[in-house]
Amino acid sequence: MGVNAIGPIEPGDNTYETRAAGADEAAARPAAARPLLTRHRRTALALATAAVVGAAGLSLYLTRPRPPEPPPPLYPSQTVSVAYRGEMTRPRAGESTFSFTVSLSQSSGPPVSVRRIAQPTTALSVTAAPDTPFTVKTGSPRTARITMHIRECGKVQRNAGLPFLIVTLRNTRAMQIQSFILGSEYAKDLSRALTAACPPNTDVMSKTP
């Protein structure tokens, strides 16, 4: 009985060529991926550099020398002055009002609001035109007409030595109540007006609020 011997299997056609082609493709893959990896590395390096530069810039910004804070404005009483301008009216006996003018000016700083004008004697009250509050600005003096209202002649001090006005001032720093002495001319004119309105030895009364 014959035996059919089986020898080694012969490789088919194109077997070696196929393997060689596969090997070449496998070898070619890493080479093709290299540019992509290089681009990734360059991008990561650029991002890291930008982050370092940004952090350094932020640190310099935060630690930079800063200009000193500007000083606060002066108190309003340090910049505003009130001067007597005259024009005192002469009331008749028994009249309850008379008026005069003052000038309010500012030497420097932000605008100042004149909140109230008053005087220390309870026998008198004061109103101003323009009405308070009004504003005084640097370089723009304001003229105000002050009207004195006699409330009670029996309590009026006709010979006040240095009468003054009490002015409430306000600016961006503070609000202050300041007394302004208007000088000897004001004192003389005021005394004459009060004496004319309230002659000695009279009990003239006024109901003015």
Side-chain angles (χ1 to χ4, degrees), residues 91-115:
R92 291 190 294 246
E95 289 184 342
S96 61
T97 63
F98 60 95
S99 63
F100 56 92
T101 59
V102 296
S103 176
L104 299 99
S105 58
Q106 184 184 25
S107 59
S108 63
V112 172
S113 174
V114 179
R115 312 295 294 180

Side-chain angles (χ1 to χ4, degrees), residues 38 139 172:
T38 301
T172 55

Side-chain angles (χ1 to χ4, degrees), residues 1-207:
M1 185 174 179
V3 178
N4 294 326
I6 299 175
I9 299 174
E10 295 294 332
D13 295 338
N14 299 324
T15 298
Y16 295 109
E17 293 178 4
T18 302
R19 290 177 180 174
D24 291 341
E25 291 176 3
R29 283 192 195 102
R34 287 191 195 106
L36 182 59
L37 292 174
T38 301
R39 285 196 297 272
H40 283 313
R41 288 171 183 166
R42 288 176 181 171
T43 301
L45 180 60
L47 292 174
T49 302
V52 171
V53 172
L58 179 61
S59 176
L60 288 174
Y61 176 79
L62 295 176
T63 58
R64 76 192 189 285
R66 299 190 180 186
E69 292 291 332
L74 296 174
Y75 287 99
S77 62
Q78 296 175 298
T79 65
V80 172
S81 60
V82 180
Y84 175 58
R85 293 191 58 182
E87 302 177 12
M88 181 85 71
T89 60
R90 182 66 64 88
R92 291 190 294 246
E95 289 184 342
S96 61
T97 63
F98 60 95
S99 63
F100 56 92
T101 59
V102 296
S103 176
L104 299 99
S105 58
Q106 184 184 25
S107 59
S108 63
V112 172
S113 174
V114 179
R115 312 295 294 180
R116 184 172 180 262
I117 299 177
Q119 53 75 54
T121 306
T122 58
L124 303 172
S125 63
V126 170
T127 57
D131 294 334
T132 54
F134 60 86
T135 301
V136 179
K137 298 180 180 179
T138 302
S140 299
R142 298 289 300 269
T143 297
R145 183 132 200 117
I146 308 299
T147 299
M148 289 280 190
H149 303 270
I150 302 172
R151 302 171 65 106
E152 187 174 352
C153 274
K155 294 183 179 180
V156 168
Q157 297 180 1
R158 298 174 181 84
N159 297 313
L162 288 174
F164 53 88
L165 291 181
I166 302 172
V167 184
T168 303
L169 304 169
R170 183 174 186 176
N171 68 359
T172 55
R173 180 170 184 176
M175 184 165 68
Q176 293 180 297
I177 299 175
Q178 181 71 17
S179 297
F180 291 94
I181 296 174
L182 303 185
S184 59
E185 190 67 25
Y186 169 70
K188 288 187 293 185
D189 289 350
L190 178 62
S191 179
R192 290 170 186 160
L194 291 173
T195 300
C198 299
N201 303 319
T202 63
D203 293 325
V204 179
M205 302 290 289
S206 174
K207 301 294 185 181

